[in-house]
Amino acid sequence: MHTRVPPPPSPLPRRFPLRALPLALLALTACGDQTPDSGPAPAAAAVTVANCGHTVALEAPPQRVITLNQGATEIVLALGAEEQLVGTAYLDDEVSEAWADAYARVPVLSEEYPSREAILEQRPDLVVGSYASAFTDQAAGDRESLDGLGIASYLSPFACPDDADVPEISWDTVHRQIEELALLLGREEEGNALVEEQRAVLDEIRGRAPAEGLSVLWWDNDTDTPMVGAGEGGPQLILDALGAANVFADLSGEWATTSWESVLEADPDLIVLVDASWDTAEEKTAFLREDPALRDLTAVREEAFITVPFSTSTPGVRNVEAVQLIDAQLADGGGPR
Amino acid sequence: MSVLVKARPGAAPRLTVLVGAAALVLSAALGVVIGTADLSVATVFRAVAAQLGAETGIDTLTRHIVVDLRAPRVAAAILTGAGLAVCGGVLQSLTGNPLADPYLLGLSSGALLGVSLSLFFGLGAAGVAGFGATSVAAFLGSLAALALVFALASARTGALPTSRLVLAGIAVGQLGSAVASGLVLASDRDAARRITEWTLGSVAGARWNSLAVTASVVAVTLAVVLWYSRDLDSFAFGERAATSLGTDVAGVRRVLYCAVSLCTAVLVAQAGIVGFVGLVVPHIARFLTGAGHLRLLPASALLGALLLVWTDVLCRSALPDRELPLGIVTAVLGVPVFVVLFRRRGGARG
Amino acid sequence: MADLRPPEVALRRASWTVDGTPVLREVTFTAPAGRTTGLIGPNGSGKTSLISLLARWTRPTSGRVLLDGVDAGSVPLREFARRVAALEQHTATELDLTVRQVVAMGRVPHSRRLGFDLDGGDDPVVARALARVGAAGLADRHWHTLSGGERQKVQVARVLAQEPRVLLLDELANHLDPAAGLRLLDLVRGLGLTTIGSFHDLNLAAMFCDHLVVLHRGRVVAEGTPRQVLTPALLGEVYGVEAVVDDHPATGGPLVVMCGAAREKEEG
């Protein structure tokens, strides 16, 4: 197993001594009066957001936010709200370079999920999670009980426990998640700017359609029965923006388990390799080159491999980054000859 | 053989129960004090006093941690440990099989299937009586498995022969696990993670309102099995010997299988699957008190409760700020004990 | 309350069928009160099944078991257990029990709910039963450490602790050393209870039984004193052996001496 180097330890003390809390809280409220250095003062209006059959209500922009899972952490960092964070936890891989410095300034509560007590000890006013598992008893606990303690919570709409609440994955819904969090954090302007910027990037690339006419396999992980990007998830969204044709666009769901036979039959022009700590792009390339059947695939023979980090493929703020990465690698001659 | 077993019967078991009860009270108190959040004994006392209406100046969050998080999970550990140990002990006696555990009749696989189905199909988050959606799914799944096992095992005469029950339990168990494994494979990463997490057990989700249900069920079950302790004693040499001692074997089995299985289903809803407690604790208890169920069952309950209270303390304090699943720790603690016990007994049999 | 005299035990046209195959067919016999009755017959003739019916381990498909003329099936099971004690041919347990605990189990039918303490062990009846079979010294031993003979002795003590009026014994002396077997049978005979036992060894049956019932293919083919029942003709028919029946030099009862297998007769 390859394990990524864990994120740099935070310079702040990991454990927040509870006995010192009254003092710390005093200090915090004092800080709250001075506006954070970056951007304008957060709007003070009360906001409500409907989220997974839940209503998130905040009287004022939260100042003690905890993010669980990489996606949640990155959206908050992308909104420039690191000053509002008191802790993050559970990365899938590495935080995007764009926010690495900001990330390093926020305490990491735990490598995976912190326990409920560890979370409560931070006295958060908002807990944001990307996956439903963030709100189980082994992590932050269920959202109702957090409500009972006056702690607001936001779960990525794509991870709502009730399938009925899960929106279709599109650039609109991906951006809506950013806008909703921006609203909750009192950073609507930053949110709007971010979404505008992403739309502009997308429009430009869509206009060029750099992968027009290419059939693409999006290989997520697993060598026996490959897990591939299917027709209803982040991979499809990204490939659409590039004008590429996903060879498994017909499969339902975000990802799907398929067979190498189907891959051989499809014989894609290009293979997108997902780089994840549990299954690196390097291992994937080696496997494809050595497998007696797969090495005859057009894409393998022509070395038409493109690598993207796993965290850019789940619906969130980094999908655009994946589009840009693939675009850049194609321009670099990473595509088929 | 051990000194404990050779000790005069009568004196040692009573002492065991007394010492056990005292240890449990102390452990429960310590269980509330020890945890991730660094709370002093005084803070815990003030939090409890605040809950009782006293003016102690303790803030809401600390009170919540003590009163709504730690205390219920200690209570849940006590109930789960006691319940599983008693159910395991009763099933071992009823089937004459020292390897029987509370999940013998396919309950864990049924519950696993229920949980997998609910997470796979994303069936919302509605709960009942303080139990979350996952717990409800687990309970319904284990009941379904139980009904299927009883249906498969019952003879035309309505009797439930042990061999058929155990076989039906294995068959239903295998079916449940196979389907559940398929669902886990087909689920997205996060659902798979939650299913796995559930199979390893936890009392972290204990809430007072769900505990009221669990406590009543465990108390009633304990009363029922104690009421039948004499009948269980008569099973030592099998069902025919029990009949000849005046025990209505079929009737006793029906009542006890139902009571024990329902109790286990509720415990599965409360804490997920917690292995080894129901298997190992009765053996340890037998070591301390002898085979008589009138003492064995309360001793098992005490030991099971003690074991899980401390296991849970370990689960929440072994790693900084992280939770370990109960099932892993009970297995790690339980397996060596089990091996030692069986090696000793093997020697005695020579 | 319970009658202290040993009752007469009778079977009236009792049949037992398993999955359509008759195992016992219209069995009728009477075991005289206070005497020892032996069930004999070749393997598979239904001896153990008959003990099962008498012990209420199985229910007859038809017919009745009578205790002093009263249908045994109508007696509550606990009441029945206070009157009738039964011992299986093979006794095994997975539990780690002491001898005293095993014998104490005999007190189950006499104890109240929540009043039975397997480990209490200070019941004088238990101590008396152990002394009676000469196993007082084994009291603190563990069941699993005993030899076959010792186990059987302890089981008899358990049966005695039950203070029954009727004893049902399935092959009590099987697998025992001759001395141990004879001693146990002597002891049982001396109890003065109505005893019904199955026997593999015909001479042992002849020595200890007042009354013999011969089973063949699930039917009673002869009943009476050993002298009346054990004839060369019957032995030839039921066991398929050529045998001489002589007088036992010590007891004066019949003594069966096998001479060889009877000539094969085609079954009709």
Side-chain angles (χ1 to χ4, degrees):
Chain A
M1 280 292 290
H2 294 252
T3 332
R4 284 285 172 88
V5 181
S10 95
L12 299 177
R14 181 185 50 76
R15 183 168 289 187
F16 196 83
L18 211 66
R19 265 173 245 117
L21 262 172
L23 258 181
L25 282 176
L26 256 178
L28 253 169
T29 35
C31 288
D33 291 340
Q34 303 149 5
T35 45
D37 49 357
S38 65
V47 294
T48 57
V49 167
N51 173 244
C52 295
H54 223 80
T55 305
V56 192
L58 282 169
E59 290 300 319
Q63 299 301 327
R64 301 192 61 78
V65 180
I66 289 178
T67 54
L68 302 175
N69 309 121
Q70 185 165 352
T73 303
E74 288 181 329
I75 295 178
V76 174
L77 293 177
L79 293 167
E82 71 266 19
E83 298 292 336
Q84 283 162 273
L85 280 172
V86 292
T88 70
Y90 214 159
L91 298 185
D92 287 322
D93 44 33
E94 279 166 28
V95 168
S96 172
E97 271 173 43
W99 313 301
D101 288 344
Y103 175 72
R105 289 200 293 274
V106 184
V108 175
L109 299 180
S110 167
E111 215 169 296
E112 291 193 11
Y113 287 125
S115 71
R116 192 171 155 87
E117 275 189 24
I119 288 171
L120 294 186
E121 223 183 350
Q122 297 297 331
R123 321 213 146 215
D125 43 17
L126 173 67
V127 179
V128 185
S130 307
Y131 301 118
S133 55
F135 295 102
T136 62
D137 300 324
Q138 278 86 339
D142 63 89
R143 299 178 66 187
E144 286 75 14
S145 69
L146 289 176
D147 286 344
L149 293 167
I151 300 171
S153 58
Y154 181 88
L155 174 60
S156 165
F158 305 109
C160 291
D162 194 335
D163 278 352
D165 298 326
V166 179
E168 201 178 304
I169 295 177
S170 68
W171 291 109
D172 281 344
T173 52
V174 164
H175 288 148
R176 193 172 310 139
Q177 181 186 357
I178 296 173
E179 287 159 355
E180 283 175 355
L181 272 171
L183 181 67
L184 288 173
L185 292 165
R187 291 186 168 267
E188 273 181 280
E189 277 182 36
E190 288 87 339
N192 291 339
L194 180 62
V195 169
E196 274 314 305
E197 190 192 319
Q198 291 206 347
R199 282 192 202 281
V201 170
L202 284 171
D203 285 343
E204 190 271 325
I205 295 176
R206 262 202 218 105
R208 281 192 286 117
E212 182 90 74
L214 291 183
S215 64
V216 178
L217 165 70
W218 185 289
W219 183 18
D220 187 83
N221 75 337
D222 211 335
T223 48
D224 289 348
T225 50
M227 169 109 92
V228 301
E232 296 167 2
Q236 184 66 44
L237 195 63
I238 293 161
L239 294 177
D240 279 345
L242 291 156
N246 179 6
V247 293
F248 290 112
D250 290 345
L251 298 180
S252 64
E254 296 182 61
W255 283 274
T257 301
T258 181
S259 69
W260 286 120
E261 263 185 51
S262 318
V263 172
L264 285 167
E265 209 175 345
D267 195 19
D269 302 319
L270 177 71
I271 301 179
V272 174
L273 303 169
V274 172
D275 193 27
S277 58
W278 54 88
D279 191 358
T280 64
E282 234 170 286
E283 289 169 307
K284 289 188 174 87
T285 320
F287 176 80
L288 289 174
R289 286 194 184 127
E290 279 155 33
D291 187 277
L294 298 176
R295 66 180 172 212
D296 288 335
L297 282 170
T298 311
V300 180
R301 266 192 282 110
E302 300 189 356
E303 304 258 314
F305 299 135
I306 279 181
T307 302
V308 295
F310 169 76
S311 49
T312 62
S313 66
T314 55
V317 70
R318 288 179 72 186
N319 297 145
V320 170
E321 187 184 326
V323 174
Q324 287 173 305
L325 270 173
I326 297 174
D327 178 38
Q329 288 178 67
L330 281 172
D332 247 17
R337 273 171 272 163
Chain B
M1 274 294 291
S2 136
V3 181
L4 280 169
V5 178
K6 281 205 175 150
R8 275 205 68 73
R14 222 161 283 153
L15 195 66
T16 308
V17 171
L18 272 179
V19 170
L24 185 58
V25 172
L26 186 67
S27 302
L30 284 173
V32 177
V33 173
I34 302 172
T36 311
D38 204 0
L39 303 184
S40 66
V41 178
T43 312
V44 169
F45 269 111
R46 281 163 65 204
V48 173
Q51 182 67 19
L52 299 175
E55 200 54 59
T56 58
I58 260 317
D59 63 294
T60 323
L61 212 57
T62 308
R63 202 174 77 189
H64 174 79
I65 289 180
V66 172
V67 175
D68 296 323
L69 285 185
R70 287 200 192 160
R73 69 188 286 174
V74 169
I78 291 174
L79 291 171
T80 308
L84 288 177
V86 165
C87 292
V90 168
L91 282 176
Q92 285 167 7
S93 301
L94 275 184
T95 59
N97 179 357
L99 295 177
D101 82 349
Y103 310 121
L104 183 72
L105 303 183
L107 292 183
S108 51
S109 309
L112 172 61
L113 183 55
V115 169
S116 309
L117 281 172
S118 86
L119 290 181
F120 181 76
F121 289 109
L123 298 178
V128 176
F131 289 101
T134 313
S135 298
V136 173
F139 182 69
L140 293 179
S142 51
L143 280 196
L146 191 63
L148 189 57
V149 167
F150 279 153
L152 288 176
S154 57
R156 265 158 295 160
T157 54
L160 286 170
T162 297
S163 53
R164 287 175 66 149
L165 262 182
V166 172
L167 283 177
I170 291 173
V172 170
Q174 295 286 342
L175 180 70
S177 330
V179 177
S181 303
L183 289 173
V184 171
L185 267 184
S187 298
D188 63 74
R189 273 195 201 90
D190 198 53
R193 181 201 162 90
R194 283 190 288 155
I195 295 169
T196 312
E197 201 169 64
W198 179 84
T199 61
L200 294 171
S202 170
V203 286
R207 302 286 178 270
W208 286 118
N209 45 356
S210 67
L211 278 174
V213 176
T214 310
S216 333
V217 170
V218 171
V220 168
T221 307
L222 195 58
V224 168
V225 298
L226 274 180
W227 179 251
Y228 283 98
S229 64
R230 184 190 61 187
D231 307 81
L232 283 168
D233 286 342
S234 74
F235 274 79
F237 282 91
E239 295 177 3
R240 290 189 156 185
T243 308
S244 286
L245 292 171
T247 302
D248 169 18
V249 170
V252 168
R253 285 159 44 92
R254 239 190 327 265
V255 171
L256 291 184
Y257 276 127
C258 286
V260 163
S261 300
L262 284 177
C263 180
T264 305
V266 171
L267 293 176
V268 163
Q270 177 72 61
I273 300 172
V274 183
F276 288 95
V277 178
L279 176 66
V280 175
V281 169
H283 289 291
I284 303 174
R286 251 179 233 116
F287 228 66
L288 296 173
T289 67
H293 288 80
L294 198 55
R295 290 201 181 112
L296 170 66
L297 295 175
S300 299
L302 273 175
L303 276 178
L306 265 174
L307 175 68
L308 263 207
V309 167
W310 284 108
T311 308
D312 181 48
V313 168
L314 251 171
C315 284
R316 58 187 134 110
S317 48
L319 293 183
D321 297 339
R322 288 263 300 275
E323 289 270 341
L324 277 176
L326 265 184
I328 291 179
V329 181
T330 55
V332 168
L333 294 177
V335 172
V337 177
F338 195 59
V339 170
V340 168
L341 277 183
F342 269 71
R343 288 183 67 95
R344 279 194 171 201
R345 228 188 74 173
R349 270 190 191 208
Chain C
M1 265 312 289
D3 192 343
L4 290 183
R5 279 180 313 101
E8 173 190 280
V9 178
L11 229 64
R12 291 290 171 261
R13 306 187 54 147
S15 297
W16 186 48
T17 305
V18 181
D19 294 332
T21 310
V23 177
L24 294 172
R25 313 177 203 216
E26 306 235 314
V27 173
T28 295
F29 72 84
T30 303
R35 313 308 275 277
T36 304
T37 298
L39 304 176
I40 58 173
N43 286 338
S45 60
K47 300 189 294 285
T48 298
S49 305
L50 195 49
I51 297 276
S52 295
L53 283 196
L54 291 167
R56 293 176 69 172
W57 295 335
T58 48
R59 216 181 275 276
T61 316
S62 63
R64 291 187 303 166
V65 178
L66 303 174
L67 296 181
D68 270 345
V70 177
D71 189 347
S74 68
V75 180
L77 200 59
R78 264 172 64 71
E79 173 67 31
F80 184 80
R82 277 182 237 140
R83 287 203 240 162
V84 180
L87 187 50
E88 287 176 272
Q89 187 178 348
H90 302 288
T91 50
T93 182
E94 286 292 338
L95 296 178
D96 193 10
L97 296 172
T98 62
V99 165
R100 188 181 275 112
Q101 287 175 322
V102 173
V103 178
M105 288 181 62
R107 301 308 292 160
V108 163
H110 296 277
S111 60
R112 283 175 298 119
R113 255 181 208 292
L114 306 180
F116 177 70
D117 189 351
L118 183 66
D119 310 302
D122 44 8
D123 191 331
V125 180
V126 173
R128 272 208 302 276
L130 274 167
R132 190 116 183 226
V133 301
L138 299 178
D140 291 319
R141 287 273 298 277
H142 285 258
W143 167 259
H144 290 296
T145 67
L146 300 182
S147 71
E150 288 170 330
R151 288 184 186 185
Q152 204 66 324
K153 205 149 69 168
V154 171
Q155 286 293 351
V156 172
R158 192 268 292 169
V159 166
L160 294 185
Q162 215 172 321
E163 297 184 308
R165 307 289 118 210
V166 176
L167 270 187
L168 304 172
L169 307 169
D170 194 9
E171 304 272 11
L172 178 65
N174 232 12
H175 312 302
L176 292 192
D177 293 337
L182 291 171
R183 222 174 287 135
L184 273 186
L185 285 169
D186 241 350
L187 173 80
V188 166
R189 201 173 137 91
L191 295 171
L193 306 177
T194 306
T195 303
I196 301 175
S198 60
F199 286 86
H200 196 70
D201 184 323
L202 297 176
N203 286 318
L204 218 50
M207 258 172 90
F208 285 97
C209 298
D210 307 298
H211 192 77
L212 286 183
V213 175
V214 185
L215 288 169
H216 187 40
R217 295 193 190 129
R219 287 183 210 280
V220 175
V221 292
E223 180 183 2
T225 63
R227 180 62 79 185
Q228 290 167 331
V229 166
L230 294 174
T231 62
L234 180 117
L235 293 171
E237 185 197 326
V238 173
Y239 284 89
V241 293
E242 270 181 33
V244 172
V245 180
D246 205 344
D247 292 334
H248 194 289
T251 65
L255 177 70
V256 177
V257 182
M258 307 278 180
C259 304
R263 223 144 290 164
E264 291 277 335
K265 259 191 304 186
E266 280 309 310
E267 303 288 328

